[in-house]
Amino acid sequence: PGDPHRLKLIMPESDIAKITFVEGDVTDQAGLEAAVKGNDITHIVHLAALQVPSVRANPVVGMRINVVGTTIVFEVAKALADQVQSVAYASSVAVYGPASDYPAGPIAHEAPLLPTTLYGVTKEANEWTAKIYWQDYKVRSVGIRPAYVYGPGRDVGMTSTPTKAMLAAASGRPYHISFGGTGFFQHADDVAKSLIQASRAKVDGAPTFNLGGTRVSMTDVVDAITAAAPESAGTITSESNQLPFPDEYDGKPLDAAIGAVGWRSFADGTRQTIEDFQIAIAEGRLDVDRAIA
């Protein structure tokens, strides 16, 4: 609150000055409704949530923010139906179980939901909330399920450590990534564009889709970091454990619903992320200790 430090990584001060900031709490229904109504909001992109470690540490607070908060977002959209045209919201691939629970190959967006974390349970609940709000109230929404999001500003959550490794490499520090195996990576800028595109697509119903991206191993991650910051060679390491999610997702149904979503290669995304970090460090726009901690 009061310091848009993540926005400073990707936007000049002149653009940040154009934003209307309203501090609030997603579980405050009256406050959220007043913010949406008072600022003539027509499309809601809902990202407010606690992530896996925070929900595990405090399940009641996690449920209140992730589930009750999302219900309030839909309730506000219902109450302001003449103004709000649609909701785009982030679910998560955490609604799925480990890869061993599914057939080989990319996971389809209608594959069985088998969450193994309370966070995943909250996201499955939100997907059903969206379906019922369409069924009963005709609130239009699109949910998307990001996988391993990386890029400037990704500094919280279980899958944030590859981005922290990129920042470490950009700042000349060693770093140990907290997991290994193979994952499905998506640059934050591409994910943001997909959410905006989904919010404007005027899709009837309340579908939820997997996102496209790039399937890479943790060895590939370290190699891409080293290629973008050669001086980091040998300083970026990782664990070997595979996270309990599938490692590839079929993004074609989302393209069919909202139009083609472009995904940059992981090598390009890593290079761009490290360059963004290097520029932000040089210009004093980034607190490296806070971002890595």
Side-chain angles (χ1 to χ4, degrees), residues 69-274:
T70 297
T71 305
I72 287 172
V73 169
F74 277 94
E75 191 66 14
V76 168
K78 181 187 80 172
L80 301 177
D82 291 340
Q83 174 182 322
V84 177
Q85 298 176 28
S86 66
V87 176
Y89 69 95
S91 182
S92 170
V93 298
V95 298
Y96 296 121
S100 58
D101 289 342
Y102 302 95
I107 297 296
H109 73 281
E110 71 272 17
L113 306 185
L114 303 168
T116 61
T117 63
L118 285 174
Y119 170 80
V121 170
T122 71
K123 293 299 186 176
E124 180 176 1
N126 293 345
E127 292 186 14
W128 279 102
T129 296
K131 293 177 192 298
I132 300 304
Y133 266 83
W134 169 256
Q135 171 189 287
D136 291 355
Y137 311 115
K138 293 298 178 283
V139 175
R140 182 186 287 118
S141 68
V142 176
I144 67 169
R145 300 185 184 119
Y148 299 176
V149 180
Y150 70 101
R154 181 71 211 280
D155 54 21
V156 175
M158 185 167 61
T159 58
S160 66
T161 54
T163 297
K164 293 180 180 181
M166 296 174 197
L167 173 55
S171 59
R173 303 185 185 195
Y175 193 82
H176 187 69
I177 299 169
S178 60
F179 62 95
T182 301
F184 207 60
F185 284 78
Q186 297 142 341
H187 191 279
D189 186 42
D190 297 334
V191 177
K193 289 175 181 175
S194 72
L195 280 157
I196 295 168
Q197 197 166 316
S199 74
R200 294 173 172 166
K202 297 183 179 179
V203 175
D204 281 339
T208 309
F209 299 101
N210 299 331
L211 292 176
T214 308
R215 182 179 184 270
V216 292
S217 69
M218 197 53 66
T219 299
D220 297 328
V221 172
V222 174
D223 288 347
I225 294 172
T226 302
E231 64 279 7
S232 70
T235 67
I236 307 299
T237 56
S238 75
E239 292 292 322
S240 59
N241 59 301
Q242 177 80 36
L243 294 182
F245 314 119
D247 58 18
E248 191 171 10
Y249 304 87
D250 182 6
K252 293 186 181 67
L254 176 64
D255 290 346
I258 70 170
V261 177
W263 298 98
R264 71 199 69 194
S265 71
F266 184 75
D268 286 344
T270 300
R271 176 182 50 78
Q272 292 161 3
T273 298
I274 290 175

